[in-house]
Amino acid sequence: MNGPWRRTLIPVAILTAASAFVVGPAAASPAPDHRPPARLAITTVSNPRPTLVSGGQVLVRVTVPDGVRADRVRITENGQDVTSAFRAQQDNTLLGLVTGLRAGANELAAETGWRDTELRVVNHPITGPVFSGPQQVPFFCQTQAFGLAPAVQPLCGAPTIVSYQYKNTEGAFVPLADPTSRPVDLATAMVNGHAVPYVVRVETGTIDRAVYQTAALFDGTSPAPLVPDRSWNGRLVYTFGGGCNAGYHQGDSTGGVLNDLFLGQGYAVASSSLNVLDNNCSTVISAEAAMMVKEHFIDTYGPVAHTIGWGGSGGAIQQYEIADSYPGIVDGIIPGVSFPDPLSTAGPVNDCRLLDRFFAGPGATFTAAQRTAIAGYNDYLSCVSWDQTFANRSTATDSCNAAIPVSARWDPVTNPNGVKCNANEQLVNQLGRNPSTGFVRSTLDNVGVQYGLSALRGGQLTSAQFVALNAGVGGLDVTGKPMAARTTADPKALAASYADDLINSAAQGLRATPIIDQRTDLDFAGFGNDIHTTEWSFTMRQRLIRANGTAANQVIIESQPTLAEQANVNSYELNAMDRWLTAIDADSSHHSPAAKVIANKPTDLGDGCYASTTQRIVATVTDPATGPCAAGYPVATNPRLNSGESLAMSALKCDLTPLNFASYAPITFTTAEKAQLTATFPTGVCDYHSPGVGQRHPIATWLSYGDERTGLTPPTPIPPAPHD
């Protein structure tokens, strides 16, 4: 490359699986850049923000200036000498696990007799919260689903269990009672070019009220942060699970840690039950849980070269949101079948519920083709699927998890203070609760939305049908039930959603995050009723372009949902992301982090699609679809896009403009139709040329909601570490 801003242009080409990626384990990590500073320095390694440490311990590095021997440094914790906990490293730094931190503020100090430095470390309970704010109650425990001891709500803590698995020669993971034994059918893993026994250490415990799991190859010795396991490649994959629901329970699944793709190459894997959005539809809580679990992992295993996010659907939402709002928890992300955030997605989800209701009633005469034209999807069954599987997340009772006893659930008459199973419940610390209804304030809105506008202009709908559709589609009440009136968003919720980056702006951490958007095509190929439609990848791209002037840090790769093809796709994308991050780690230039991300993208990595299981086309993909991928991977729309919303889909509530019948030309309306439209849109129709109501730039990254936050008190940005 000829400078940090110049990218090698890759012409349209067909790459075979062999030429598309390097087969085998990832390359070894470059040595961390700990160039001697002008003075003695203390940094927290397992959590780079020393005010957010949890669990009573933290891995610490002391960097020693030139001319000072590491063995001349004395280190104290709250005045007590802890030098013996540190070990000299090859780069003349000292690395040590500091334990016994007291609750709240702690003082770490290092001195050589004539140089000294201090660092304030704030320790939080392992049960949380650290920055997510007051915790949800009641909170029903599910530790036994993971083989842990029964727990007591609301903290749901249980003793940690370490177990072992091995992969056999038939490709299955099998429990292993004695990790030092070597079964006859034990497989091997390849780590940095070396074969190692495929024995996996699995740790299961509770952190931040969630059940966490970590998995890594086991070399026969207990993991130690100062002596890394020889079968670990120094990298971490953090997995996130899908869905989106109200919470109030711990969850019985994580994003998954027994994954051969990762473990077989020496990656460690971590996740927790609050990193599954169906257990917890708050990306703020997910960020906190991931931060705390990652910190614990590093305290146990040692420094991590970089962390790769992995997961689809709701797992993709968490990666995109955490990378933008809490950058540094994951260094690069591989979101699959992605959506940008829960609030943006909720608009079309609930539109589909309203459209289904309309077509089952006054719109029963609309043809299948007309319904598809209104919804925008390649197949109207995608809208049906949204209604049947996820629209219930906007109701008070229709999606309650089985872990929540029926006796604890909300009922307007018998239990008005009970658990409301509405996904917004997880966002109460951000959006606030409406005292007059008892429900969390909502951003749902369809006032002024002209459903089927594109179909009207395209000739698929008559003027009479367009009028009937918009007059009859209605909205949802506070409990999520259909009503004749349109849905109106709460102004305070709108303001908070933008200020707190709950609607992903792509303007913060994402600008410096490597992204491989893994778009498995579920629009067709027998998956026409699937909700994971392709336009959402391009919604995120449009936000990146709008916020940063470029989306060069995002690659979109389209593929078919066959097991063989996905295995190749996953292998290539993991390898490419690791090479991308490794190159960034080694970049010692003075360019901005965003510039380094773009400059260090692998030359073989770019937009494209898989023409077959083993052939990848490298070519820019677009919405609407153009180029060599267009025929096999057409990109459709959704109800909001078909009503005139822009591809960025950032207007939760649109600005309104007066109804102007001249704007529909050459389409004309009868006098009666004009009267009906005027009654339907008394305050006007959506003007998508203007920003959405309440839309603004987010406050900052790393927002804290503390422990005493109530209502809509502005959140507090957490300051970076002193050395940042």
Side-chain angles (χ1 to χ4, degrees), residues 511-535:
R511 71 172 63 207
T513 301
I515 305 164
I516 301 178
D517 192 292
Q518 190 180 66
R519 178 48 66 179
T520 306
D521 184 59
L522 300 176
D523 298 45
F524 282 125
F527 291 84
N529 64 339
D530 196 271
I531 60 178
H532 302 95
T533 49
T534 302
E535 78 279 3

Side-chain angles (χ1 to χ4, degrees), residues 178-558:
D178 179 4
T180 63
S181 66
R182 295 294 178 262
V184 294
D185 60 345
L186 174 66
T188 58
M190 294 297 295
V191 181
N192 296 333
H194 301 286
V196 299
Y198 207 137
V199 176
V200 183
R201 178 185 182 272
V202 181
E203 182 178 323
T204 306
T206 55
I207 290 177
D208 204 21
R209 304 200 305 173
V211 174
Y212 77 90
Q213 292 182 309
T214 64
L217 292 177
F218 178 70
D219 68 355
T221 60
S222 297
L226 307 187
V227 185
D229 190 303
R230 293 165 295 180
S231 56
W232 173 41
N233 70 7
R235 296 142 166 86
L236 178 65
V237 175
Y238 206 100
T239 63
F240 298 87
C244 179
N245 217 331
Y248 290 105
H249 65 107
Q250 194 171 37
D252 59 4
S253 63
T254 69
V257 296
L258 279 179
N259 187 306
D260 179 56
L261 172 64
F262 310 139
L263 296 170
Q265 300 180 73
Y267 291 89
V269 193
S271 190
S272 89
S273 59
L274 291 185
N275 297 123
V276 177
L277 221 58
D278 215 42
N279 299 329
N280 156 51
C281 201
S282 165
T283 54
V284 176
I285 296 173
S286 176
E288 178 181 86
M291 179 194 72
M292 294 175 73
V293 171
K294 179 179 174 180
E295 179 185 332
H296 172 74
F297 174 85
I298 295 173
D299 285 345
T300 304
Y301 280 88
V304 170
H306 46 248
T307 302
I308 298 172
W310 188 279
S313 191
I317 287 175
Q318 291 168 86
Q319 292 178 71
Y320 269 130
E321 282 274 82
I322 291 171
D324 202 49
S325 297
Y326 294 91
I329 295 175
V330 287
D331 301 301
I333 61 175
I334 307 179
V337 291
S338 64
F339 303 102
D341 57 71
L343 298 182
S344 300
T345 311
V349 172
N350 290 285
D351 291 341
C352 283
R353 167 153 286 194
L354 299 176
L355 290 173
D356 267 5
R357 176 175 172 268
F358 174 77
F359 293 137
T365 59
F366 282 59
T367 67
Q370 288 175 325
R371 298 179 189 198
T372 300
I374 292 165
Y377 301 114
N378 281 323
D379 190 325
Y380 183 73
L381 287 176
S382 289
C383 214
V384 174
S385 184
W386 270 129
D387 182 15
Q388 293 178 347
T389 61
F390 272 95
N392 61 1
R393 311 305 166 89
S394 295
T395 69
T397 57
D398 295 350
S399 66
C400 291
N401 188 275
I404 303 170
V406 174
S407 60
R409 301 177 188 178
W410 176 85
D411 182 278
V413 176
T414 63
N415 194 12
N417 295 317
V419 168
K420 302 177 183 71
C421 299
N422 179 306
N424 273 4
E425 285 293 309
Q426 290 280 29
L427 303 178
V428 66
N429 289 346
Q430 290 76 44
L431 303 183
R433 192 176 297 280
N434 187 326
S436 64
T437 66
F439 282 76
V440 174
R441 300 179 188 275
S442 174
T443 62
L444 278 181
D445 193 281
N446 69 344
V447 174
V449 174
Q450 299 184 80
Y451 292 102
L453 182 61
S454 294
L456 172 69
R457 289 180 168 154
Q460 293 105 322
L461 292 183
T462 67
S463 59
Q465 288 175 316
F466 175 74
V467 171
L469 169 64
N470 282 284
V473 72
L476 301 173
D477 68 15
V478 68
T479 70
K481 300 300 183 184
M483 62 180 181
R486 294 290 184 107
T487 309
T488 302
D490 186 298
K492 292 182 178 179
L494 290 170
S497 67
Y498 290 109
D500 295 14
D501 208 27
L502 297 181
I503 174 161
N504 198 326
S505 68
Q508 302 193 113
L510 275 175
R511 71 172 63 207
T513 301
I515 305 164
I516 301 178
D517 192 292
Q518 190 180 66
R519 178 48 66 179
T520 306
D521 184 59
L522 300 176
D523 298 45
F524 282 125
F527 291 84
N529 64 339
D530 196 271
I531 60 178
H532 302 95
T533 49
T534 302
E535 78 279 3
W536 291 106
S537 293
F538 296 96
T539 290
M540 199 70 247
R541 171 162 292 182
Q542 189 62 31
R543 292 186 186 182
L544 286 163
I545 293 170
R546 183 187 62 188
N548 309 312
T550 180
N553 62 313
Q554 184 208 42
V555 171
I556 300 174
I557 300 178
E558 301 171 327

